[in-house]
Amino acid sequence: MTLDDIKGILGALALTGRGDMEIDIGRAYCADLMSDVLAFSVTNSLLITGLTNAQVVRTAEVADIKAIVFVQNKRPDIQTIAMAEAKNIPLFVTELSMFDTCGRLYERGLRSQMGPTV
Amino acid sequence: MTVNSDGVFFLTGKDFANAGSASSNLKGILEKRGIPAEVIRRASIAAFEAEMNVIIYAVAGMMHYTITPETIKVVLQDMGPGIPDIGLAMQEGYSTAPDYIREMGFGSGMGLPNIKRNADKLTINSVVGEGTTVEFVISLERSGR
Ligand SMILES: Nc1ncnc2c1ncn2[C@@H]1O[C@H](COP(=O)(O)OP(=O)(O)O)[C@@H](O)[C@H]1O
Ligand SMILES: [Mg+2]
């Protein structure tokens, strides 16, 4: 699934300008606890979260997460967006809830690294 | 590259705007040395958790790194409240973080366990009322741990 696909499925808005929309996203992880993200996410994945502070972008950076989707129309401040831009981590915002965001992506085949195969 | 390199970053307690920048800079330095991505990820995650602990709990501190052809060693030394019971602090889920830290996405009590999981060696020394030193080593020789 590409970033472009994800943007379309979620009706999301891109907050960052650069970044390759054709990058393939193989896995996703959703959490508001950054230590959980650091413990359980995998590289080259998508982070879905309701938190918008600068540490979310730092977390993505150190964990090699490819892109971040903020749910429920929550937007980070301009400094956080600028940091993501500088680190080449595309940010998206969707109006959908956390549940619906995950549900729609799951329905279209996106999985976590440890999710059920059934 | 065979030369050793080292350096230090200074950390200020409660400086959340810059929290994580030391680990981010360290990650950049490791990338420039051409260290395997999987090793860099482990070092960066461990450094970030340890850096956040200094920012959250201590007054001030520093992160010192030493990179040799064999290892990445990172030492975080802080002036702060110290840890009364290190065994308890190491338990998954144990946290004394206040609510506003939880609202920032930290304080789930997984930081020290995350450092342990990613490092090949972890040593914590702490004196209550003085401060804490967290030292971890990541081996470059055994990749794919
Ligand atoms: N540098 C430090 N100085 C003082 N106390 C610390 C420090 N690092 C960790 N601690 C203590 O250890 C506990 C567990 O730390 P950690 O596993 O990182 O979880 P968390 O930070 O989410 O609470 C903290 O809640 C805190 O009480
Ligand atoms: Mg912590």
Side-chain angles (χ1 to χ4, degrees):
Chain A
M1 191 180 286
T2 66
L3 277 183
D4 215 26
D5 295 334
I6 289 168
K7 185 167 175 272
I9 292 166
L10 302 177
L13 179 78
L15 296 173
T16 43
R18 295 197 316 220
D20 180 3
M21 291 299 287
E22 295 305 314
I23 317 174
D24 192 51
I25 298 291
R27 299 281 164 182
Y29 189 76
C30 120
D32 285 348
L33 290 173
M34 292 306 117
S35 288
D36 280 356
V37 176
L38 293 167
F40 302 120
S41 68
V42 290
T43 54
N44 299 330
S45 59
L46 177 74
L47 172 61
I48 301 158
T49 185
L51 282 190
T52 57
N53 60 50
Q55 278 72 46
V56 176
V57 174
R58 295 282 190 206
T59 297
E61 183 193 8
V62 299
D64 292 333
I65 286 166
K66 272 276 166 341
I68 306 172
V69 172
F70 299 106
V71 300
Q72 266 174 237
N73 225 356
K74 292 180 194 167
R75 288 156 194 252
D77 62 26
I78 192 77
Q79 288 89 341
T80 302
I81 295 172
M83 194 204 297
E85 190 96 52
K87 297 182 184 311
N88 240 315
I89 300 170
L91 305 181
F92 300 90
V93 58
T94 175
E95 285 182 2
L96 297 174
S97 69
M98 181 85 101
F99 182 83
D100 289 330
T101 301
C102 296
R104 287 200 191 177
L105 294 175
Y106 191 94
E107 189 178 49
R108 298 290 290 270
L110 196 62
R111 293 291 181 270
S112 77
Q113 68 283 15
M114 51 191 182
T117 46
V118 289
Chain B
M1 208 190 281
T2 51
V3 289
N4 297 353
S5 71
D6 70 336
V8 63
F9 302 109
F10 294 92
L11 311 172
T12 308
K14 309 290 181 294
D15 181 10
F16 293 105
N18 291 307
S21 59
S23 305
S24 169
N25 285 330
L26 177 63
K27 186 177 195 231
I29 290 163
L30 298 175
E31 280 167 352
K32 280 209 192 77
R33 280 184 75 109
I35 289 167
E38 177 268 340
V39 177
I40 294 178
R41 185 171 192 263
R42 287 201 278 127
S44 305
I45 289 175
F48 183 50
E49 288 282 16
E51 179 181 359
M52 286 308 298
N53 281 351
V54 174
I55 307 284
I56 293 169
Y57 303 107
V59 176
M62 50 195 188
M63 179 194 288
H64 189 278
Y65 65 88
T66 313
I67 311 163
T68 71
E70 295 83 32
T71 58
I72 303 165
K73 185 170 99 174
V74 183
V75 183
L76 288 104
Q77 195 178 358
D78 71 51
M79 294 184 293
I83 305 176
D85 185 341
I86 294 172
L88 186 61
M90 285 301 302
Q91 282 179 19
E92 291 194 2
Y94 176 81
S95 177
T96 62
D99 284 346
Y100 81 95
I101 295 294
R102 274 168 228 275
E103 280 155 23
M104 285 177 38
F106 285 85
S108 59
M110 294 294 290
L112 294 174
N114 272 352
I115 299 170
K116 193 177 164 70
R117 184 178 296 129
N118 284 289
D120 292 304
K121 184 164 173 273
L122 168 65
T123 315
I124 302 174
N125 286 297
S126 192
V127 179
V128 173
E130 288 186 18
T132 302
T133 303
V134 171
E135 173 180 324
F136 65 86
V137 178
I138 290 175
S139 169
L140 291 170
E141 290 182 320
R142 286 178 296 125
S143 56
R145 191 188 75 132

